[in-house]
Amino acid sequence: MYDFSALYEATSVSHAVQLMQEHPDAVLIAGGSDVLIKLREGKLAGAELISIYKLDELREVTIDPDGALRIGPMTSFSHATKSPVLQQYMPVLGEAADTAGGPQLRNVGTVGGNICNGVTSADTASTEVAYDAVLEITGANGVRKLSIHDFYKGPGKVALEKGELLTAILIPKESYENCYGYYIKYAMRNAMDIATIGCSVNVVLSADKQTIQRARIAYGVAGPVPMRARTAEAALAGQPVGEGAIEIVGREVLNDVNPRTSWRASADFRKQIISETARRGLRAAIERAGGVF
Amino acid sequence: MEKKLVKCNINGKDVETYVDVRASLTDMLRNDYRLTSVKKGCEVGECGACNVIIDGECFNSCIYLAVWAEGKRIRTLEGLLGPGGELSDIQQAFVDEAAVQCGFCTPGFIMTAVEILETGKEYTRDELRKLLSGHLCRCTGYENILNAVEKTMKQRLGKA
Ligand SMILES: Cc1cc2nc3c(=O)[nH]c(=O)nc-3n(C[C@H](O)[C@H](O)[C@H](O)COP(=O)(O)OP(=O)(O)OC[C@H]3O[C@@H](n4cnc5c(N)ncnc54)[C@H](O)[C@@H]3O)c2cc1C
Ligand code: FES
Ligand code: FES
């Protein structure tokens, strides 16, 4: 038995909003792979839960009329990996999802929960940060949109007001068009481990594949929340494809990050991994985009 | 505490029972249906001892609310036995390959193996290792488990 005091099951998004208004202190539970663990640890003892597990309408990945990818927040990690839309336009997100936990965890953990928990090590978060994702948030006053960059407020804190839930993760067309990404999770084990560093890189090359038009780099665990490496991105724009770009990124990312020492790894070690994952990630992304070294 | 009627299909049979809303699926399967192949190991989603198949995908039932099972098709190790209690090919392979020692992890591993085998695909050993990576085994050292799954996969594909 879990130690909670009541469970309300939402049957639609508007029902979920209504339940959140009726029970303002209740905790929203999606796939439950964070909330149920906290309950087991006694951290949410006696809480009320509102479950959105049965909202299958939030489990789809589709394309909006304006070309944005619309990722339902209840999409499980494994369904993100299997999604034909993501495989075609943003395979890096499915690949990142495929590094989380192990196979059974990937069937229950959701991509929405992975950002709403505000955790820096979340394996899909850095890729969404690297693609300038826009979040669709629904509450009693209707729907609002918020850049993912404004969503993270601090460790475990996100910009969801009481009574609001995430109803879509949108990837703008200009983010994924002609864009090729690569995610590297550095952890101590190949499975069932939290990232020591997660690095998501994506590039747009010029038509002749000789020049980096745009590079975007985001990290998990390089700071208190998932973050971009803007100095390195600026330094890469316009650089020719080649070893020089790899040297630049390996050096410049260190200006952007602020890793800390924890029992998992020291800050110095994390810096080395931050630099090395940027180098490898950039090389892989450029190769995927058709660039040749 | 509030109880809720949960109707689902377990190992091919339509069943229903009132469960405490605080119950995990492990609690319901073990206590209400006596399906004790579903083990209580870590109870935090890390070890795979409680793994069952829900609508064709594997889930750790310890981090799954029993009420979420409403309308689902659930399979546990008990559902693999033949009509006369015969072992299925994958269970027999675990016996033959000495992939079982204490046996605590075995039902969970076998249900993941069932999901893998039912894709009908052929996987490399490295792929199998990844597909089985959501389970911990304190006894066997994993090699014999991989052998058993690989052997059954090849047999089913007519390649053994
Ligand atoms: C064994 C194990 C291994 C794990 N390994 C990894 C790993 O390798 N990498 C990784 O990134 N994570 C890992 N996790 C953490 C977890 O699985 C993920 O963070 C997952 O994405 C959480 O999603 P959920 O829907 O299951 O979570 P829930 O517990 O349902 O929700 C998480 C939080 O987000 C909120 N929330 C969820 N959905 C919404 C929504 N639509 N709107 C508003 N708020 C919402 C909830 O209120 C809660 O605070 C692991 C967890 C376990 C148990
Ligand atoms: S008991 Fe469920 S994963 Fe360990
Ligand atoms: S056989 Fe003992 S845990 Fe696997």
Side-chain angles (χ1 to χ4, degrees), chain A residues 2 9 40 79 98 107, chain B residues 4 22 43 57 62 130:
Chain A
Y2 301 102
E9 283 194 276
R40 288 269 194 237
H79 286 199
D98 199 41
N107 288 334
Chain B
K4 203 166 168 182
R22 297 169 304 174
E43 295 207 80
E57 297 180 342
C62 70
K130 181 172 181 200

Side-chain angles (χ1 to χ4, degrees), chain A residues 118-291:
Chain A
V119 170
T120 187
S121 60
D123 278 304
T124 59
S126 47
T127 297
E128 287 158 19
V129 169
Y131 274 73
D132 282 348
V134 174
L135 305 179
E136 185 192 275
I137 295 167
T138 304
N141 300 325
V143 178
R144 65 180 175 115
K145 285 187 182 170
L146 187 69
S147 161
I148 194 164
H149 307 304
D150 300 323
F151 186 64
Y152 283 100
K153 294 288 175 202
K157 284 204 192 79
V158 295
L160 285 170
E161 303 296 332
K162 272 211 187 304
E164 285 188 328
L165 78 160
L166 177 70
T167 43
I169 300 162
L170 303 169
I171 308 297
K173 190 170 184 187
E174 60 269 24
S175 281
Y176 69 80
E177 213 173 23
N178 301 318
C179 180
Y180 294 83
Y182 198 80
Y183 177 71
I184 299 175
K185 173 178 185 169
Y186 183 93
M188 300 299 156
R189 278 179 111 250
N190 290 332
M192 303 302 284
D193 198 3
I194 297 299
T196 305
I197 286 291
C199 175
S200 191
V201 181
N202 62 75
V203 294
V204 177
L205 298 187
S206 59
D208 64 3
K209 313 276 184 209
Q210 304 287 326
T211 311
I212 299 172
Q213 259 178 16
R214 187 187 82 193
R216 290 172 170 175
I217 306 163
Y219 284 99
V221 211
V225 295
M227 59 183 285
R228 283 280 280 276
R230 306 261 181 200
T231 317
E233 292 177 12
L236 284 173
Q239 287 292 327
V241 167
E243 297 302 330
I246 304 297
E247 292 308 315
I248 289 172
V249 81
R251 188 176 63 235
E252 295 295 325
V253 283
L254 292 174
N255 295 320
D256 291 311
V257 295
N258 179 25
R260 67 181 188 112
T261 294
S262 77
W263 63 269
R264 279 179 207 279
S266 67
D268 281 341
F269 180 63
R270 283 212 166 90
K271 281 187 188 157
Q272 188 188 340
I273 301 303
I274 284 165
S275 175
E276 190 58 32
T277 50
R279 296 166 59 100
R280 293 187 193 186
L282 181 65
R283 184 184 298 277
I286 289 175
E287 283 173 352
R288 281 190 167 179

Side-chain angles (χ1 to χ4, degrees), chain A residues 30 72-75 109-117 124 128 151 166 169:
Chain A
M74 291 299 298
T75 305
T110 69
V111 293
N114 209 216
I115 55 174
C116 290
N117 63 9
T124 59
E128 287 158 19
F151 186 64
L166 177 70
I169 300 162

